[in-house]
Amino acid sequence: MRGVENEMRSIGETARDSGLSVSALRFYDGAGVLVPVVVDPASGYRWYGPEQVEEARLLARLRRAGMPVADIRLVLAGWAGADTDLVRGLLRAHLLRLERGLSDARSELSAVRALLERRENPMITSIGTSNATPTTRLTVSGPELAAALDAVRFAVSADPELPVLGGILFDIDGGALRVVATDRYRLAVARAGATGHTGPRLQLLVPAPLADAMRALLSDDAPVLLTVDGDRVALETETADRQAAGRCLGHEFPDYRRLVSLPAGRRVPIDVPAFREALETGPVRPAEREQDGATGDVSVLRVSDGDEVSLCDDDDEDPADVGLNRTFLLDALAAGDRDRLILELGAPKAPVVIRRPDDEESFSLLMPVRLDG
């Protein structure tokens, strides 16, 4: 009996070795899909047999493929049997469902694209999508623009399938220049003071390499001149001895104002150096879903009644816990460029906002990673 006990795996070990989270294992136990060999009657703690780790890995693959729980239960039940016809039939049926769903999704998205093509907004001029844009010149604070570009650069997408997100939006409206970047999983907004623009609101999508070249010009405290001529944009120093220029991207950036219109959440001040150290050394769980933007380790945050932020391990969960991609969170803290920042947390599935206490218009949003099973 002692040898059998030594072979048992705790729920945490099973989670680590299978790629399923502890919460997922609890869910599948309750659903009768993967029931542990032993449950401690006093503590309720679950122990799994060594053969169940392979079953858990199989379960994780089926879940990533989106198979319904009812079908997963049957696949696991028939997996070890000699007759595999049932398993093959379930896999084939699920693949057909996915293919039909993809066909339906293509039809709906085609309809949405048609609606977009018919939709116009005469109040906003998007550079790169119109040839009738007059030349615009405005003076921008060099230090403010440098800080703004630094605050959003980390959120630019590198996905070649989404070129519209491969740049930084320059949104010129009245006496302000806002720069915005997003890769779907995170979004950053910052502001720089500007003068000289009196026309309608103007938006231009600057390719990331050109934005980087512009940032390299901003090495002193002098103002700079931003010129927009058709689909070309140029940034030059006050003495006109240095310039970065190029064409804007021919895409229309999504309306970021809708993305940042969130209900007010709980604001928690954080000491950035201490919080960064806790993130770098504290507990994490492996990412489970690429579609959540969680291709790296996930840090699970919990806020106490006293506004203390702590990191949770796999065996300690609460419905209010929030999971974030650890690398994304560390990037956002660095972009915040302050020793004190504010975490604004709403519902567990709502974006988490990282704000500067002295600048409400510079902030970033991180999409949470799902923690439930």
Side-chain angles (χ1 to χ4, degrees), residues 6-148:
N6 290 339
E7 292 179 356
M8 300 293 284
R9 304 289 186 90
S10 70
I11 190 170
E13 292 171 328
T14 305
R16 184 186 64 244
D17 294 342
S18 67
L20 288 171
S21 69
V22 169
S23 60
L25 287 170
R26 290 175 182 148
F27 171 82
Y28 288 116
D29 175 18
V33 177
L34 186 63
V35 179
V37 174
V38 176
V39 178
D40 189 302
S43 66
Y45 203 78
R46 297 161 172 85
W47 295 89
Y48 293 80
E51 73 285 352
Q52 289 186 299
V53 175
E54 185 61 34
E55 292 182 5
R57 290 174 181 154
L58 174 61
L59 197 163
R61 288 182 179 275
L62 296 174
R63 187 178 68 160
R64 286 195 294 270
M67 179 173 281
V69 172
D71 287 4
I72 291 177
R73 182 186 291 109
L74 291 176
V75 169
L76 292 181
W79 186 257
D83 187 353
T84 59
D85 287 348
L86 173 62
V87 173
R88 293 182 183 279
L90 290 168
L91 297 178
R92 185 166 53 251
H94 182 58
L95 184 58
L96 289 174
R97 278 198 301 268
L98 293 176
E99 290 171 346
R100 285 197 297 269
L102 180 58
S103 177
D104 292 342
R106 284 194 177 118
S107 298
E108 295 296 342
L109 291 175
S110 295
V112 172
R113 290 193 190 99
L115 291 173
L116 281 174
E117 291 173 359
R118 295 196 296 268
R119 179 180 176 275
E120 294 181 354
N121 190 340
M123 299 303 294
I124 300 177
T125 301
S126 294
I127 304 302
T129 60
S130 172
N131 295 321
T133 305
T135 300
T136 300
R137 294 182 178 85
L138 63 155
T139 302
V140 185
S141 166
E144 290 184 12
L145 181 56

Side-chain angles (χ1 to χ4, degrees), residues 3-350:
V4 174
E5 290 178 352
N6 290 339
E7 292 179 356
M8 300 293 284
R9 304 289 186 90
S10 70
I11 190 170
E13 292 171 328
T14 305
R16 184 186 64 244
D17 294 342
S18 67
L20 288 171
S21 69
V22 169
S23 60
L25 287 170
R26 290 175 182 148
F27 171 82
Y28 288 116
D29 175 18
V33 177
L34 186 63
V35 179
V37 174
V38 176
V39 178
D40 189 302
S43 66
Y45 203 78
R46 297 161 172 85
W47 295 89
Y48 293 80
E51 73 285 352
Q52 289 186 299
V53 175
E54 185 61 34
E55 292 182 5
R57 290 174 181 154
L58 174 61
L59 197 163
R61 288 182 179 275
L62 296 174
R63 187 178 68 160
R64 286 195 294 270
M67 179 173 281
V69 172
D71 287 4
I72 291 177
R73 182 186 291 109
L74 291 176
V75 169
L76 292 181
W79 186 257
D83 187 353
T84 59
D85 287 348
L86 173 62
V87 173
R88 293 182 183 279
L90 290 168
L91 297 178
R92 185 166 53 251
H94 182 58
L95 184 58
L96 289 174
R97 278 198 301 268
L98 293 176
E99 290 171 346
R100 285 197 297 269
L102 180 58
S103 177
D104 292 342
R106 284 194 177 118
S107 298
E108 295 296 342
L109 291 175
S110 295
V112 172
R113 290 193 190 99
L115 291 173
L116 281 174
E117 291 173 359
R118 295 196 296 268
R119 179 180 176 275
E120 294 181 354
N121 190 340
M123 299 303 294
I124 300 177
T125 301
S126 294
I127 304 302
T129 60
S130 172
N131 295 321
T133 305
T135 300
T136 300
R137 294 182 178 85
L138 63 155
T139 302
V140 185
S141 166
E144 290 184 12
L145 181 56
L149 290 173
D150 289 343
V152 305
R153 181 61 177 85
F154 78 100
V156 175
S157 173
D159 187 349
E161 298 297 322
L162 291 171
V164 64
L165 304 182
I168 295 178
L169 176 70
F170 282 40
D171 185 5
I172 305 165
D173 190 10
L177 166 62
R178 290 178 178 82
V179 293
V180 188
T182 183
D183 64 358
R184 293 178 291 163
Y185 310 119
R186 46 194 174 169
L187 181 147
V189 181
R191 180 185 184 278
T195 59
H197 178 66
T198 58
R201 185 178 174 206
L202 183 66
Q203 292 187 334
L204 50 146
L205 188 54
V206 179
L210 178 55
D212 292 340
M214 292 178 172
R215 175 61 182 89
L217 292 181
L218 305 170
S219 56
D220 52 41
D221 295 335
V224 289
L225 179 66
L226 184 71
T227 303
V228 182
D229 184 8
D231 64 350
R232 291 186 60 81
V233 59
L235 186 75
E236 60 183 354
T237 58
E238 192 176 31
T239 57
D241 59 336
R242 290 179 296 158
Q243 183 187 78
R247 294 188 181 277
C248 300
L249 293 174
H251 305 286
E252 187 170 350
F253 199 80
D255 186 356
Y256 70 92
R257 295 170 303 173
R258 295 187 60 179
L259 301 177
V260 301
S261 297
L262 302 172
R266 182 178 182 183
R267 293 194 173 195
V268 181
I270 58 170
D271 178 276
V272 174
F275 188 50
R276 174 180 291 277
E277 182 179 359
L279 287 170
E280 292 173 342
T281 60
V284 294
R285 67 176 59 179
E288 299 171 16
R289 301 172 179 84
E290 186 176 353
Q291 64 265 31
D292 287 334
T295 54
D297 290 333
V298 177
S299 294
V300 181
L301 277 56
R302 178 180 299 170
V303 181
S304 69
D305 292 337
D307 284 346
E308 293 290 333
V309 181
S310 61
L311 301 178
C312 306
D313 59 30
D314 282 349
D315 297 329
D316 180 23
E317 292 197 7
D318 184 277
D321 291 346
V322 178
L324 294 174
N325 181 297
R326 180 172 65 172
T327 300
F328 291 178
L329 181 52
L330 288 170
D331 287 345
L333 295 177
D337 194 29
R338 299 288 189 276
D339 286 338
R340 300 282 293 180
L341 290 172
I342 295 172
L343 284 183
E344 185 172 347
L345 303 99
K349 295 181 181 179

